[in-house]
Amino acid sequence: RNGDAASFKLAHATLDQVKAARPPGGAGYSDAQIRQGVLARNIENYIRTREFDASLKLIDEWELEFPEALWDGFTRTLRVKLAVAEKRPLVAARIALQHARANPTGVYADELLYRASQNFKLANEPTQAQAALDLLTSKYPESPYARGESKEK
């Protein structure tokens, strides 16, 4: 089947990238760290080149292989970027807002609230956009996202 061949090629290419990223002597990053870095780079590239199915497949693969990535929020930001690229701002806003609320102490919570606000604006949902912005500025006043958005008011 065509899909199986494409999946095999994608997995093989990613594995080759992980091997190539390993520093001489094996010191440095773990295989898991390298793998996640390669996944992030590839997903961003697939989003940029509008290969949305490949992006989604790699995000799903990342979350299955490294479930903690779901909680830290980075794969959520990638899902938001993917939804934006697919011209689905309301979906992007909801993903961002739900994760920021679920994990308010997460590293990406402020960025996700900012992205939620921006995408609610794009989806012509000004009340929800303002609510996300208010939450951002009240919970994370020192965040560059909160400070930058506040200047636009």
Side-chain angles (χ1 to χ4, degrees), residues 1-46:
R1 293 185 318 200
N2 242 359
D4 291 342
S7 295
F8 177 77
K9 285 181 183 178
L10 185 61
H12 195 332
T14 302
L15 182 58
D16 287 344
Q17 290 170 336
V18 169
K19 288 177 183 174
R22 173 144 318 279
Y29 299 105
S30 71
D31 284 347
Q33 291 169 316
I34 294 169
R35 169 94 169 114
Q36 291 184 74
V38 168
L39 284 167
R41 186 183 68 215
N42 288 347
I43 292 165
E44 292 271 7
N45 186 53
Y46 285 137

Side-chain angles (χ1 to χ4, degrees), residues 39-57:
L39 284 167
R41 186 183 68 215
N42 288 347
I43 292 165
E44 292 271 7
N45 186 53
Y46 285 137
I47 291 171
R48 197 172 20 265
T49 59
R50 307 190 61 74
E51 295 178 58
F52 301 141
D53 289 341
S55 300
L56 184 58
K57 182 177 177 66

Side-chain angles (χ1 to χ4, degrees), residues 38-85:
V38 168
L39 284 167
R41 186 183 68 215
N42 288 347
I43 292 165
E44 292 271 7
N45 186 53
Y46 285 137
I47 291 171
R48 197 172 20 265
T49 59
R50 307 190 61 74
E51 295 178 58
F52 301 141
D53 289 341
S55 300
L56 184 58
K57 182 177 177 66
L58 285 182
I59 294 170
D60 289 342
E61 189 176 305
W62 187 345
E63 291 173 345
L64 286 171
E65 192 172 338
F66 303 99
E68 66 278 5
L70 283 164
W71 191 242
D72 78 18
F74 186 66
T75 59
R76 298 290 104 174
T77 64
L78 292 171
R79 286 188 186 277
V80 170
K81 290 177 181 181
L82 176 59
V84 169

